[in-house]
Amino acid sequence: MNRRSLYRRARTPLSLMATATIAAALLATSVAPASAGKGSSPHGRKPTVVLVHGAFADSTSWNGVVKKLKREGYPVVAAANPLRGLSSDAAYLKDLLAGIDGPVVLAGHSYGGAVISNAAHGADNVKALVYIAAFLPAKGESAGELAAKFPGSTLGEALRPVPITLPDGSQGADLYIEQAKFHDQFAADVPENTTDLMAVTQRPVTSAALEEGASEPAWKTIPSWVLVATEDLNIPPKAQTYMAERAKAHTVEVRASHAVSVSRPDEVAQLIQKAARSVR
């Protein structure tokens, strides 16, 4: 065997060792800071904000709020509320919450308020509740009942029911806001070119969901924040104030339509951040 072949044989394991050493060093420099950052200050990690839309909307109704929250470093999840029934919608959300690591600030708009009230009961990781022009039902109360408790809602006149067959075979109805009435009824302070799209993409809610009584509400044991939309034609502002006072919630008033998360995302995000800063 000549000297050159011996050199090649000796160089191969040396090269592999050198390559492995360099790779290990690169891995250490890339992984160590991330791991250290994650584990070094668990108390400094911001809570996850979970946003739950209501009837006649979808998760994109939170887009402006999501941008504000993510800019401030909050992890955000915009849940897809099924809008099929209060107990089943809450069960779906409860499963989603169980899959989130760390504390949660749970925010709901409109009917989504009833859903978060049910879902957060017994959910140990939910540390604050935020209601945005939303329902805060007591046990046994329905969204429909609360909307009619005070004058001011014109929603009933704008609804278009569509008969449907429910999963159990029974007959029900999906409720839509008539597209021609959507802007004035739901989002009068949002530009019409936006509400034209919102009207087409609106998610219907079953009449049964709005008629179903709530279970034990989480706002009795979890600190709550409420935004009252003073120009709301879906849930009368007096009803919103009544529910907020009953829950002893931290309350702000914003001159806005029911679609306040679309028209006033800054104010909505600010209230959610106030709630989030209370989480320890």
Side-chain angles (χ1 to χ4, degrees), residues 93-126:
L93 179 59
K94 202 177 192 77
D95 286 343
L96 186 151
L97 295 171
I100 296 174
D101 183 31
V104 169
V105 174
L106 186 54
H109 172 244
S110 189
Y111 165 78
V115 176
I116 71 170
S117 289
N118 272 24
H121 182 67
D124 294 338
N125 59 339
V126 178

Side-chain angles (χ1 to χ4, degrees), residues 43-49 74 103-106 125-130 221-226 248-250 269-280:
H43 299 295
R45 191 173 78 175
K46 291 186 175 182
T48 298
V49 177
Y74 287 94
V104 169
V105 174
L106 186 54
N125 59 339
V126 178
K127 304 301 181 184
L129 298 169
V130 185
T221 55
I222 299 174
S224 300
W225 282 256
V226 169
K248 298 179 173 58
H250 309 275
Q270 286 168 12
L271 186 63
I272 292 172
Q273 288 178 75
K274 282 184 181 178
R277 285 193 290 269
S278 75
V279 176
R280 296 289 181 265

Side-chain angles (χ1 to χ4, degrees), residues 73-257:
Y74 287 94
V76 184
V77 176
N81 188 356
L83 305 177
R84 300 293 84 192
L86 182 54
S87 56
S88 60
D89 294 343
Y92 170 83
L93 179 59
K94 202 177 192 77
D95 286 343
L96 186 151
L97 295 171
I100 296 174
D101 183 31
V104 169
V105 174
L106 186 54
H109 172 244
S110 189
Y111 165 78
V115 176
I116 71 170
S117 289
N118 272 24
H121 182 67
D124 294 338
N125 59 339
V126 178
K127 304 301 181 184
L129 298 169
V130 185
Y131 296 87
I132 307 299
F135 292 108
L136 290 75
K139 186 174 182 179
E141 288 180 333
S142 69
E145 176 185 346
L146 286 166
K149 193 174 185 69
F150 295 89
S153 176
T154 56
L155 177 61
E157 305 159 22
L159 290 178
R160 179 173 66 89
V162 175
I164 58 169
T165 301
L166 299 171
D168 63 1
S170 63
Q171 297 301 300
D174 260 346
L175 302 177
Y176 294 82
I177 295 177
E178 291 184 30
Q179 291 188 22
K181 297 179 179 180
F182 190 93
H183 174 265
D184 291 347
Q185 176 61 44
F186 195 83
D189 54 352
V190 177
E192 289 197 41
N193 61 344
T194 299
T195 59
D196 285 348
L197 295 176
M198 292 171 64
V200 171
T201 60
Q202 66 178 290
R203 294 270 310 282
V205 64
T206 65
S207 57
L210 299 183
E211 295 164 3
E212 185 177 345
S215 62
E216 192 66 32
W219 52 256
K220 284 191 174 182
T221 55
I222 299 174
S224 300
W225 282 256
V226 169
L227 185 150
V228 174
T230 62
E231 306 297 312
D232 196 331
L233 296 180
N234 276 26
I235 308 174
K238 285 185 178 180
Q240 295 178 42
T241 300
Y242 162 77
M243 292 182 281
E245 291 175 349
R246 180 175 64 179
K248 298 179 173 58
H250 309 275
T251 305
V252 299
E253 291 188 353
V254 175
R255 187 175 180 181
S257 71

